[in-house]
Amino acid sequence: MATAGAPRRFCRCACFCYENLYVARYGLHVRFRGEEQLLRDYGPILRSRGCVSPKDFQQLVGELEQEVERRQRLGQESAARKALISQSYHPVRPDVYNTLQDEALAPEFLAAAEYSTSPGADFEGLLQRLETVSGEKRIYRVPVFTAAFCRALLEELEHFEQSDLPKGRPNTMNNYGVLLHELGLDEPVVTPLRERFLQPLTALLYPDCGGGWLDSHRAFVVKYAPGQDRELGCHYDNAELTLNVALGKAFTGGALYFGGLFQAPTALTRPLEVEHVVGQGILHRGGQLHGARPLGTGERWNLVVWLRASAVRNRLCPMCCRKPDLVDDEGFGDGFTREEPTTVDVCALT
């Protein structure tokens, strides 16, 4: 298991600015280093998806250039938003900013975490305390939060959403939601969730994916509603593992769907659909292709936690599939470090 020590500087891979740029109207992730490269690498598939005229292509190039510039500014702008929010924002539910307590967590989740830290705990024993959504895909469901905590967190998130303070996009595909580190909920809520409760489970469920060596995360809430984001295209996460918890509200549709691992040539053959249940979380590997079906009615809010292990990603960036080209970043960055954790037996992860 990862052990506490002196704070380390986290980094991102330089590929973040140029790889996996999402073009929603063409349902495509692209690498962008200029017009010639874009046309050479993606010309046929872009034409097959509706990018047929020179005007279409130049519009796309302009949008990609803007996205590259946005990503290059992201760290500094996020730090500035976080500072402004800390100075100016007045929470409506200050209790959710207290250090995460057992009372906020579902009894089933507490029992699974307690079992996972007990002597003799093993994979088979833990499976008796979770729902296996797909053994083949290694997708599991477990209640995480109580209904009362979900309501309190949603009340706070909606209050912040209605404020006039600046808000960053949750990720490069979703346009509506909240970055929890900017709101000040990372340290009191998400870090103890990862360290005290999730890591004991993931160490048993995903030992080969760094589940026992989680040392950073990126947490955000995404919102789906009429007139805003309604669905999410197929993608994989910049994470070793992902937790996705439905917070509410009342909604229909919007099911998750899962294919295979992104490296597999038939990764989206016969996708598996998984319905959301408020308060319950879905655990899956970050490299599992997935998306969200269109929302039917109502609003859907989900907490997504990308769980990262530098012992794994320091060797291979999951987004460009190369040795990471490290760039210093704010906070947890993208979970890379310039050195291996001294307590990690890297051979055990291969």
Side-chain angles (χ1 to χ4, degrees):
M1 305 289 278
T3 57
R8 288 179 293 143
R9 183 70 182 265
F10 285 88
C11 308
R12 60 176 169 84
C13 179
C15 78
F16 172 74
C17 293
Y18 307 101
E19 304 272 353
N20 292 284
L21 278 66
Y22 185 57
V23 185
R25 69 179 175 280
Y26 301 130
L28 192 65
H29 285 85
V30 302
R31 176 176 180 267
F32 181 68
R33 285 286 188 169
E35 291 186 37
E36 291 185 6
Q37 170 268 320
L38 183 69
L39 188 61
R40 182 177 65 250
D41 293 349
Y42 302 100
I45 191 170
L46 283 169
R47 285 191 290 272
S48 74
R49 299 191 182 192
C51 183
V52 294
S53 69
K55 182 180 178 181
D56 291 336
F57 186 72
Q58 288 303 316
Q59 181 182 358
L60 174 59
V61 168
E63 291 171 357
L64 291 174
E65 289 174 341
Q66 290 181 3
E67 175 63 10
V68 168
E69 292 174 0
R70 186 190 74 85
R71 293 189 181 202
Q72 290 172 334
R73 300 190 306 267
L74 206 57
Q76 290 182 334
E77 291 183 351
S78 179
R81 284 194 300 268
K82 181 179 179 180
L84 180 59
I85 291 167
S86 176
Q87 294 169 2
S88 307
Y89 179 62
H90 300 288
V92 69
R93 291 298 302 260
D95 52 312
V96 303
Y97 294 82
N98 296 332
T99 300
L100 185 67
Q101 300 296 314
D102 290 4
E103 290 75 14
L105 301 173
E108 300 92 332
F109 187 54
L110 291 171
E114 182 179 4
Y115 169 78
S116 299
T117 58
S118 65
D122 60 16
F123 174 73
E124 294 298 333
L126 178 56
L127 288 189
Q128 297 176 22
R129 294 160 173 83
L130 307 173
E131 176 189 342
T132 299
V133 176
S134 170
E136 176 189 3
K137 291 179 168 56
R138 302 173 70 185
I139 301 171
Y140 307 98
R141 187 199 298 272
V142 62
V144 176
F145 297 121
T146 64
F149 183 79
C150 288
R151 288 192 298 270
L153 181 57
L154 268 180
E155 185 180 353
E156 179 60 30
L157 293 169
E158 290 186 298
H159 179 68
F160 175 69
E161 181 190 42
Q162 292 161 11
S163 75
D164 58 2
L165 288 164
K167 300 163 185 71
R169 288 174 58 184
N171 55 58
T172 59
M173 295 180 70
N174 290 91
N175 296 294
Y176 299 91
V178 180
L179 289 161
L180 293 196
H181 77 276
E182 291 186 4
L183 193 53
L185 288 169
D186 232 11
E187 185 174 343
V189 176
V190 186
T191 295
L193 181 69
R194 166 172 58 85
E195 293 180 343
R196 291 182 53 204
F197 302 102
L198 287 172
Q199 184 159 284
L201 275 67
T202 58
L204 293 177
L205 295 173
Y206 305 102
D208 54 324
C209 303
W213 305 103
L214 304 176
D215 53 2
S216 72
H217 60 262
R218 179 177 176 85
F220 48 89
V221 171
V222 292
K223 177 189 177 186
Y224 297 86
Q228 300 182 5
D229 292 334
R230 296 185 66 96
E231 60 186 306
L232 190 64
C234 185
H235 65 285
Y236 65 96
D237 297 336
N238 187 358
E240 278 61 70
L241 305 167
T242 296
L243 174 71
N244 186 329
V245 184
L247 300 175
K249 303 165 66 174
F251 59 88
T252 61
L256 294 173
Y257 64 88
F258 290 92
L261 291 177
F262 75 93
Q263 302 97 330
T266 58
L268 267 182
T269 303
R270 292 178 297 177
L272 169 73
E273 293 208 0
V274 181
E275 297 292 338
H276 297 280
V277 179
V278 172
Q280 297 192 7
I282 302 296
L283 268 171
H284 63 87
R285 292 172 292 181
Q288 202 87 40
L289 283 173
H290 60 284
R293 300 299 188 197
L295 183 75
T297 59
E299 290 184 11
R300 177 167 72 82
W301 296 68
N302 282 59
L303 168 66
V304 179
V305 186
W306 288 351
L307 300 162
R308 292 162 167 171
S310 61
V312 174
R313 60 183 38 231
N314 283 353
R315 293 176 292 147
L316 189 73
C317 172
M319 306 311 287
C320 65
C321 297
R322 297 188 293 266
K323 179 74 175 176
D325 179 9
L326 298 181
V327 178
D328 286 339
D329 205 356
E330 302 289 335
F332 284 134
D334 272 341
F336 301 95
T337 60
R338 296 191 181 276
E339 67 285 328
E340 294 291 349
T342 57
T343 56
V344 173
D345 177 6
V346 177
C347 294
L349 299 174
T350 59

